[in-house]
């Protein structure tokens, strides 16, 4: 990077750091037009959640404990691959993993929750000041060495696991999706009967296939059934394909790949899959201090099917 580019990247990172510091001190919570967002869109002061960054390349599968998450986020990372952010609150399994490193995207995404605990394997040095300034409780192996261990079934770095019971976090029994403002209930009218939907990243692919017997959307990753550590099929009661802006960030990996930044503040289209149907909705999030809301075609809040929610960020 030339001198001008380095100064530009440093300035961008300093700006992000300043905004995070304002957030931690309580500032910057108004809407984008200077007004306060409606009360039900503000971040809840209720249950705090445990968010775990989970590896999702072939060598890291199957994951452990993912089926117990309230919400599963799929996001794009370097080289067109994917990574998972699993959010727990109603129940936490004894082991979760494999745990991998955090990304800048996670910091904005997690502002939707009330000071969450973020379990991650680490991050590049330039990102650490942003993580430390963010309104969350960072929990890396250096913060809680007794809570992490290396498994013997696969090579590093795909074998780091978290024991949540050895961390300060305690499950609240409250569904993280409800605490984040998602609404659950009977399906709205309309919707198009749908048997399967797919999402493609540059180097990863996902399919969600409706199973009337299980009343769930069965997950396929890179052409193979996605399984739990016990060999059962991963599946979600509701799948959200949220169209967002994905752009290069100021960070990159050791191979020279730029890290994508997924913007979760704003608005756009989203397809919600539930009960064998696809519903075209709109999503909106006024600012980082707001929760994401999903609105159906009739102008009412979209309702989700009870059970695990998968939110897949799709580049528009």
């Amino acid at each position: 990077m030339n001198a001008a580019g380095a100064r530009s990247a440093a300035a961008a990172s300093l700006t992000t750091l300043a905004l995070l510091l304002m957030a931690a001190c309580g500032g910057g919570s108004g809407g984008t037009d200077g007004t306060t967002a409606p009360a039900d869109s503000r971040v809840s002061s209720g249950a705090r959640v445990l968010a775990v960054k989970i590896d999702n390349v072939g060598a890291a599968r199957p994951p452990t404990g993912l089926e117990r998450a309230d919400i599963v986020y799929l996001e794009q990372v370097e080289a067109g691959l994917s990574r998972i952010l699993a959010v727990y609150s109603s129940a936490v399994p004894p082991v979760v993993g494999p745990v991998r490193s955090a990304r800048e995207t996670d910091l904005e995404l997690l502002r939707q929750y009330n000071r969450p605990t973020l379990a991650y394997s680490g991050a590049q040095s330039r990102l650490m000041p942003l993580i430390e300034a963010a309104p969350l409780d960072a929990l890396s192996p250096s913060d809680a060495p007794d809570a992490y261990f290396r498994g013997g079934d696969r090579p590093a770095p795909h074998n780091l696991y978290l024991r949540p019971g050895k961390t300060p976090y305690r499950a609240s029994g409250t569904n993280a999706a409800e605490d984040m403002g998602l609404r659950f209930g009977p399906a709205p009218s309309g919707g198009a009967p749908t048997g399967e939907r797919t999402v493609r990243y540059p180097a990863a692919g996902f399919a969600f296939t409706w199973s009337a017997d299980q009343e769930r959307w069965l997950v396929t990753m890179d052409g193979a059934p996605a399984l739990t550590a016990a060999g059962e099929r991963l599946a979600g009661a509701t799948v959200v394909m949220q169209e967002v802006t994905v752009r290069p960030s100021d960070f990159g990996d050791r191979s020279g790949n730029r890290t994508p930044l997924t913007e979760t503040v704003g608005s756009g289209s989203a397809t919600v899959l539930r009960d064998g149907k696809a519903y075209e909705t709109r999503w909106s999030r006024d600012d980082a201090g707001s929760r994401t809301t999903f609105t159906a075609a009739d102008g009412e809040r979209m309702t989700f099917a009870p059970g695990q929610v998968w939110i897949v960020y799709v580049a528009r």
Side-chain angles (χ1 to χ4, degrees):
M1 180 181 293
N2 59 30
R7 288 194 296 270
S8 175
S13 295
L14 287 172
T15 299
T16 304
L17 177 57
L19 290 172
L20 287 167
L21 287 170
M22 289 175 61
C25 296
S29 60
T32 56
D33 60 355
T35 61
T36 300
D40 67 349
S41 73
R42 305 309 298 172
V43 171
S44 169
S45 60
R48 293 181 178 176
V49 304
L50 170 66
V52 184
K53 202 62 185 285
I54 297 179
D55 201 350
N56 197 37
V57 297
R61 299 172 186 158
T64 297
L66 185 62
E67 69 276 11
R68 299 282 295 278
D70 294 319
I71 304 179
V72 177
Y73 292 97
L74 276 173
E75 61 186 55
Q76 187 177 325
V77 293
E78 299 84 2
L81 297 169
S82 68
R83 197 156 286 183
I84 292 170
L85 185 68
V87 177
Y88 301 85
S89 180
S90 57
V92 179
V95 176
V96 181
V99 181
R100 289 301 301 271
S101 55
R103 295 294 185 273
E104 187 179 10
T105 292
D106 305 323
L107 305 183
E108 181 178 270
L109 190 164
L110 288 173
R111 287 280 305 278
Q112 298 178 90
Y113 301 95
N114 176 39
R115 197 167 185 88
T117 296
L118 172 62
Y120 66 111
S121 64
Q124 59 176 274
S125 58
R126 290 178 56 233
L127 185 59
M128 288 305 301
L130 305 187
I131 295 175
E132 292 167 359
L136 54 77
D137 294 325
L139 195 72
S140 70
S142 61
D143 299 312
D146 292 341
Y148 290 88
F149 70 96
R150 293 281 180 184
D153 61 336
R154 59 190 69 168
H158 313 295
N159 63 350
L160 181 67
Y161 293 88
L162 173 74
R163 292 189 180 99
K166 293 192 174 184
T167 73
Y169 176 81
R170 293 294 178 267
S172 65
T174 301
N175 188 315
E178 294 177 343
D179 193 59
M180 197 264 279
L182 302 183
R183 294 188 177 180
F184 293 82
S189 59
T194 302
E196 183 176 274
R197 285 293 179 94
T198 61
V199 173
R200 289 292 309 175
Y201 287 177
F206 312 97
F208 301 90
T209 306
W210 175 246
S211 169
D213 292 337
Q214 298 186 35
E215 297 184 334
R216 294 288 186 272
W217 296 90
L218 306 182
V219 183
T220 298
M221 295 185 180
D222 300 327
L227 304 176
T228 68
E232 298 178 354
R233 193 73 177 266
L234 285 169
T238 303
V239 178
V240 180
M241 298 176 176
Q242 184 176 340
E243 297 181 15
V244 296
T245 296
V246 180
R247 61 175 176 82
S249 73
D250 294 321
F251 301 93
D253 64 15
R254 295 176 180 176
S255 300
N257 299 303
R258 292 287 292 277
T259 303
L261 175 61
T262 299
E263 298 182 355
T264 56
V265 170
S267 61
S269 301
T271 300
V272 176
L273 307 179
R274 62 162 296 174
D275 303 316
K277 290 185 175 183
Y279 296 83
E280 299 307 321
T281 71
R282 297 286 298 175
W283 70 271
S284 63
R285 185 181 176 200
D286 293 336
D287 54 43
S290 300
R291 301 179 292 192
T292 304
T293 59
F294 296 89
T295 305
D298 61 3
E300 298 295 323
R301 290 280 293 276
M302 181 67 197
T303 52
F304 291 5
Q308 189 177 71
V309 177
W310 285 62
I311 297 179
V312 186
Y313 290 122
V314 183
R316 54 188 166 195

mmCIF file with all atom_site columns, all heavy atoms in Angstrom, residues 226-242:
data_model
loop_
_atom_site.group_PDB
_atom_site.id
_atom_site.type_symbol
_atom_site.label_atom_id
_atom_site.label_alt_id
_atom_site.label_comp_id
_atom_site.label_asym_id
_atom_site.label_entity_id
_atom_site.label_seq_id
_atom_site.pdbx_PDB_ins_code
_atom_site.Cartn_x
_atom_site.Cartn_y
_atom_site.Cartn_z
_atom_site.occupancy
_atom_site.B_iso_or_equiv
_atom_site.pdbx_formal_charge
_atom_site.auth_seq_id
_atom_site.auth_comp_id
_atom_site.auth_asym_id
_atom_site.auth_atom_id
_atom_site.pdbx_PDB_model_num
ATOM 1   N N   . ALA A 1 226 ? -25.590 -30.410 5.400  1.00 0.00 ? 226 ALA A N   1
ATOM 2   C CA  . ALA A 1 226 ? -24.930 -29.838 6.577  1.00 0.00 ? 226 ALA A CA  1
ATOM 3   C C   . ALA A 1 226 ? -25.401 -30.603 7.805  1.00 0.00 ? 226 ALA A C   1
ATOM 4   O O   . ALA A 1 226 ? -26.603 -30.679 8.081  1.00 0.00 ? 226 ALA A O   1
ATOM 5   C CB  . ALA A 1 226 ? -25.257 -28.360 6.701  1.00 0.00 ? 226 ALA A CB  1
ATOM 6   N N   . LEU A 1 227 ? -24.441 -31.147 8.549  1.00 0.00 ? 227 LEU A N   1
ATOM 7   C CA  . LEU A 1 227 ? -24.760 -32.022 9.667  1.00 0.00 ? 227 LEU A CA  1
ATOM 8   C C   . LEU A 1 227 ? -24.281 -31.442 10.988 1.00 0.00 ? 227 LEU A C   1
ATOM 9   O O   . LEU A 1 227 ? -23.373 -30.610 11.027 1.00 0.00 ? 227 LEU A O   1
ATOM 10  C CB  . LEU A 1 227 ? -24.117 -33.402 9.461  1.00 0.00 ? 227 LEU A CB  1
ATOM 11  C CG  . LEU A 1 227 ? -24.468 -34.137 8.166  1.00 0.00 ? 227 LEU A CG  1
ATOM 12  C CD1 . LEU A 1 227 ? -23.677 -35.437 8.085  1.00 0.00 ? 227 LEU A CD1 1
ATOM 13  C CD2 . LEU A 1 227 ? -25.963 -34.391 8.073  1.00 0.00 ? 227 LEU A CD2 1
ATOM 14  N N   . THR A 1 228 ? -24.881 -31.925 12.062 1.00 0.00 ? 228 THR A N   1
ATOM 15  C CA  . THR A 1 228 ? -24.397 -31.627 13.398 1.00 0.00 ? 228 THR A CA  1
ATOM 16  C C   . THR A 1 228 ? -23.271 -32.602 13.733 1.00 0.00 ? 228 THR A C   1
ATOM 17  O O   . THR A 1 228 ? -23.005 -33.559 12.993 1.00 0.00 ? 228 THR A O   1
ATOM 18  C CB  . THR A 1 228 ? -25.512 -31.786 14.433 1.00 0.00 ? 228 THR A CB  1
ATOM 19  O OG1 . THR A 1 228 ? -25.845 -33.190 14.536 1.00 0.00 ? 228 THR A OG1 1
ATOM 20  C CG2 . THR A 1 228 ? -26.763 -31.014 14.036 1.00 0.00 ? 228 THR A CG2 1
ATOM 21  N N   . ALA A 1 229 ? -22.619 -32.384 14.874 1.00 0.00 ? 229 ALA A N   1
ATOM 22  C CA  . ALA A 1 229 ? -21.559 -33.294 15.299 1.00 0.00 ? 229 ALA A CA  1
ATOM 23  C C   . ALA A 1 229 ? -22.096 -34.700 15.569 1.00 0.00 ? 229 ALA A C   1
ATOM 24  O O   . ALA A 1 229 ? -21.360 -35.682 15.502 1.00 0.00 ? 229 ALA A O   1
ATOM 25  C CB  . ALA A 1 229 ? -20.869 -32.739 16.541 1.00 0.00 ? 229 ALA A CB  1
ATOM 26  N N   . ALA A 1 230 ? -23.417 -34.787 15.853 1.00 0.00 ? 230 ALA A N   1
ATOM 27  C CA  . ALA A 1 230 ? -24.042 -36.087 16.110 1.00 0.00 ? 230 ALA A CA  1
ATOM 28  C C   . ALA A 1 230 ? -24.544 -36.746 14.838 1.00 0.00 ? 230 ALA A C   1
ATOM 29  O O   . ALA A 1 230 ? -25.121 -37.839 14.889 1.00 0.00 ? 230 ALA A O   1
ATOM 30  C CB  . ALA A 1 230 ? -25.198 -35.916 17.094 1.00 0.00 ? 230 ALA A CB  1
ATOM 31  N N   . GLY A 1 231 ? -24.337 -36.088 13.687 1.00 0.00 ? 231 GLY A N   1
ATOM 32  C CA  . GLY A 1 231 ? -24.739 -36.680 12.426 1.00 0.00 ? 231 GLY A CA  1
ATOM 33  C C   . GLY A 1 231 ? -26.145 -36.355 11.985 1.00 0.00 ? 231 GLY A C   1
ATOM 34  O O   . GLY A 1 231 ? -26.628 -36.896 10.976 1.00 0.00 ? 231 GLY A O   1
ATOM 35  N N   . GLU A 1 232 ? -26.836 -35.482 12.700 1.00 0.00 ? 232 GLU A N   1
ATOM 36  C CA  . GLU A 1 232 ? -28.185 -35.088 12.318 1.00 0.00 ? 232 GLU A CA  1
ATOM 37  C C   . GLU A 1 232 ? -28.128 -33.880 11.385 1.00 0.00 ? 232 GLU A C   1
ATOM 38  O O   . GLU A 1 232 ? -27.150 -33.131 11.366 1.00 0.00 ? 232 GLU A O   1
ATOM 39  C CB  . GLU A 1 232 ? -29.020 -34.768 13.565 1.00 0.00 ? 232 GLU A CB  1
ATOM 40  C CG  . GLU A 1 232 ? -29.179 -35.969 14.491 1.00 0.00 ? 232 GLU A CG  1
ATOM 41  C CD  . GLU A 1 232 ? -29.967 -35.616 15.746 1.00 0.00 ? 232 GLU A CD  1
ATOM 42  O OE1 . GLU A 1 232 ? -30.275 -34.429 15.937 1.00 0.00 ? 232 GLU A OE1 1
ATOM 43  O OE2 . GLU A 1 232 ? -30.255 -36.535 16.538 1.00 0.00 ? 232 GLU A OE2 1
ATOM 44  N N   . ARG A 1 233 ? -29.186 -33.646 10.650 1.00 0.00 ? 233 ARG A N   1
ATOM 45  C CA  . ARG A 1 233 ? -29.209 -32.573 9.661  1.00 0.00 ? 233 ARG A CA  1
ATOM 46  C C   . ARG A 1 233 ? -29.426 -31.222 10.339 1.00 0.00 ? 233 ARG A C   1
ATOM 47  O O   . ARG A 1 233 ? -30.310 -31.060 11.194 1.00 0.00 ? 233 ARG A O   1
ATOM 48  C CB  . ARG A 1 233 ? -30.344 -32.820 8.662  1.00 0.00 ? 233 ARG A CB  1
ATOM 49  C CG  . ARG A 1 233 ? -30.281 -31.956 7.408  1.00 0.00 ? 233 ARG A CG  1
ATOM 50  C CD  . ARG A 1 233 ? -29.178 -32.383 6.476  1.00 0.00 ? 233 ARG A CD  1
ATOM 51  N NE  . ARG A 1 233 ? -29.180 -31.601 5.244  1.00 0.00 ? 233 ARG A NE  1
ATOM 52  C CZ  . ARG A 1 233 ? -29.799 -31.970 4.124  1.00 0.00 ? 233 ARG A CZ  1
ATOM 53  N NH1 . ARG A 1 233 ? -30.461 -33.125 4.087  1.00 0.00 ? 233 ARG A NH1 1
ATOM 54  N NH2 . ARG A 1 233 ? -29.738 -31.216 3.051  1.00 0.00 ? 233 ARG A NH2 1
ATOM 55  N N   . LEU A 1 234 ? -28.617 -30.246 9.975  1.00 0.00 ? 234 LEU A N   1
ATOM 56  C CA  . LEU A 1 234 ? -28.862 -28.879 10.416 1.00 0.00 ? 234 LEU A CA  1
ATOM 57  C C   . LEU A 1 234 ? -30.076 -28.352 9.673  1.00 0.00 ? 234 LEU A C   1
ATOM 58  O O   . LEU A 1 234 ? -30.235 -28.594 8.464  1.00 0.00 ? 234 LEU A O   1
ATOM 59  C CB  . LEU A 1 234 ? -27.655 -27.991 10.142 1.00 0.00 ? 234 LEU A CB  1
ATOM 60  C CG  . LEU A 1 234 ? -26.451 -28.168 11.065 1.00 0.00 ? 234 LEU A CG  1
ATOM 61  C CD1 . LEU A 1 234 ? -25.238 -27.427 10.511 1.00 0.00 ? 234 LEU A CD1 1
ATOM 62  C CD2 . LEU A 1 234 ? -26.772 -27.663 12.470 1.00 0.00 ? 234 LEU A CD2 1
ATOM 63  N N   . ALA A 1 235 ? -30.934 -27.619 10.375 1.00 0.00 ? 235 ALA A N   1
ATOM 64  C CA  . ALA A 1 235 ? -32.167 -27.126 9.765  1.00 0.00 ? 235 ALA A CA  1
ATOM 65  C C   . ALA A 1 235 ? -32.674 -25.926 10.537 1.00 0.00 ? 235 ALA A C   1
ATOM 66  O O   . ALA A 1 235 ? -32.457 -25.808 11.745 1.00 0.00 ? 235 ALA A O   1
ATOM 67  C CB  . ALA A 1 235 ? -33.230 -28.231 9.739  1.00 0.00 ? 235 ALA A CB  1
ATOM 68  N N   . GLY A 1 236 ? -33.360 -25.034 9.836  1.00 0.00 ? 236 GLY A N   1
ATOM 69  C CA  . GLY A 1 236 ? -33.933 -23.852 10.464 1.00 0.00 ? 236 GLY A CA  1
ATOM 70  C C   . GLY A 1 236 ? -35.432 -23.809 10.257 1.00 0.00 ? 236 GLY A C   1
ATOM 71  O O   . GLY A 1 236 ? -35.937 -24.237 9.219  1.00 0.00 ? 236 GLY A O   1
ATOM 72  N N   . ALA A 1 237 ? -36.143 -23.284 11.241 1.00 0.00 ? 237 ALA A N   1
ATOM 73  C CA  . ALA A 1 237 ? -37.582 -23.101 11.099 1.00 0.00 ? 237 ALA A CA  1
ATOM 74  C C   . ALA A 1 237 ? -37.882 -21.926 10.166 1.00 0.00 ? 237 ALA A C   1
ATOM 75  O O   . ALA A 1 237 ? -38.864 -21.934 9.425  1.00 0.00 ? 237 ALA A O   1
ATOM 76  C CB  . ALA A 1 237 ? -38.226 -22.859 12.462 1.00 0.00 ? 237 ALA A CB  1
ATOM 77  N N   . THR A 1 238 ? -37.009 -20.910 10.220 1.00 0.00 ? 238 THR A N   1
ATOM 78  C CA  . THR A 1 238 ? -37.129 -19.736 9.356  1.00 0.00 ? 238 THR A CA  1
ATOM 79  C C   . THR A 1 238 ? -35.762 -19.427 8.777  1.00 0.00 ? 238 THR A C   1
ATOM 80  O O   . THR A 1 238 ? -34.753 -19.511 9.480  1.00 0.00 ? 238 THR A O   1
ATOM 81  C CB  . THR A 1 238 ? -37.638 -18.511 10.144 1.00 0.00 ? 238 THR A CB  1
ATOM 82  O OG1 . THR A 1 238 ? -38.894 -18.818 10.758 1.00 0.00 ? 238 THR A OG1 1
ATOM 83  C CG2 . THR A 1 238 ? -37.802 -17.305 9.229  1.00 0.00 ? 238 THR A CG2 1
ATOM 84  N N   . VAL A 1 239 ? -35.725 -19.083 7.499  1.00 0.00 ? 239 VAL A N   1
ATOM 85  C CA  . VAL A 1 239 ? -34.495 -18.667 6.838  1.00 0.00 ? 239 VAL A CA  1
ATOM 86  C C   . VAL A 1 239 ? -34.735 -17.294 6.230  1.00 0.00 ? 239 VAL A C   1
ATOM 87  O O   . VAL A 1 239 ? -35.724 -17.086 5.523  1.00 0.00 ? 239 VAL A O   1
ATOM 88  C CB  . VAL A 1 239 ? -34.062 -19.653 5.738  1.00 0.00 ? 239 VAL A CB  1
ATOM 89  C CG1 . VAL A 1 239 ? -32.792 -19.156 5.039  1.00 0.00 ? 239 VAL A CG1 1
ATOM 90  C CG2 . VAL A 1 239 ? -33.844 -21.040 6.319  1.00 0.00 ? 239 VAL A CG2 1
ATOM 91  N N   . VAL A 1 240 ? -33.836 -16.360 6.516  1.00 0.00 ? 240 VAL A N   1
ATOM 92  C CA  . VAL A 1 240 ? -33.933 -15.007 5.978  1.00 0.00 ? 240 VAL A CA  1
ATOM 93  C C   . VAL A 1 240 ? -32.762 -14.775 5.037  1.00 0.00 ? 240 VAL A C   1
ATOM 94  O O   . VAL A 1 240 ? -31.602 -14.926 5.445  1.00 0.00 ? 240 VAL A O   1
ATOM 95  C CB  . VAL A 1 240 ? -33.913 -13.947 7.100  1.00 0.00 ? 240 VAL A CB  1
ATOM 96  C CG1 . VAL A 1 240 ? -34.024 -12.537 6.507  1.00 0.00 ? 240 VAL A CG1 1
ATOM 97  C CG2 . VAL A 1 240 ? -35.029 -14.202 8.095  1.00 0.00 ? 240 VAL A CG2 1
ATOM 98  N N   . MET A 1 241 ? -33.062 -14.421 3.798  1.00 0.00 ? 241 MET A N   1
ATOM 99  C CA  . MET A 1 241 ? -32.028 -14.058 2.834  1.00 0.00 ? 241 MET A CA  1
ATOM 100 C C   . MET A 1 241 ? -32.058 -12.539 2.700  1.00 0.00 ? 241 MET A C   1
ATOM 101 O O   . MET A 1 241 ? -32.877 -11.978 1.979  1.00 0.00 ? 241 MET A O   1
ATOM 102 C CB  . MET A 1 241 ? -32.275 -14.758 1.502  1.00 0.00 ? 241 MET A CB  1
ATOM 103 C CG  . MET A 1 241 ? -32.228 -16.271 1.628  1.00 0.00 ? 241 MET A CG  1
ATOM 104 S SD  . MET A 1 241 ? -32.638 -17.112 0.087  1.00 0.00 ? 241 MET A SD  1
ATOM 105 C CE  . MET A 1 241 ? -32.371 -18.826 0.576  1.00 0.00 ? 241 MET A CE  1
ATOM 106 N N   . GLN A 1 242 ? -31.169 -11.905 3.447  1.00 0.00 ? 242 GLN A N   1
ATOM 107 C CA  . GLN A 1 242 ? -31.183 -10.446 3.599  1.00 0.00 ? 242 GLN A CA  1
ATOM 108 C C   . GLN A 1 242 ? -30.184 -9.812  2.632  1.00 0.00 ? 242 GLN A C   1
ATOM 109 O O   . GLN A 1 242 ? -28.977 -10.041 2.728  1.00 0.00 ? 242 GLN A O   1
ATOM 110 C CB  . GLN A 1 242 ? -30.849 -10.076 5.042  1.00 0.00 ? 242 GLN A CB  1
ATOM 111 C CG  . GLN A 1 242 ? -30.926 -8.599  5.344  1.00 0.00 ? 242 GLN A CG  1
ATOM 112 C CD  . GLN A 1 242 ? -30.666 -8.306  6.816  1.00 0.00 ? 242 GLN A CD  1
ATOM 113 O OE1 . GLN A 1 242 ? -30.781 -9.188  7.669  1.00 0.00 ? 242 GLN A OE1 1
ATOM 114 N NE2 . GLN A 1 242 ? -30.330 -7.068  7.121  1.00 0.00 ? 242 GLN A NE2 1
#
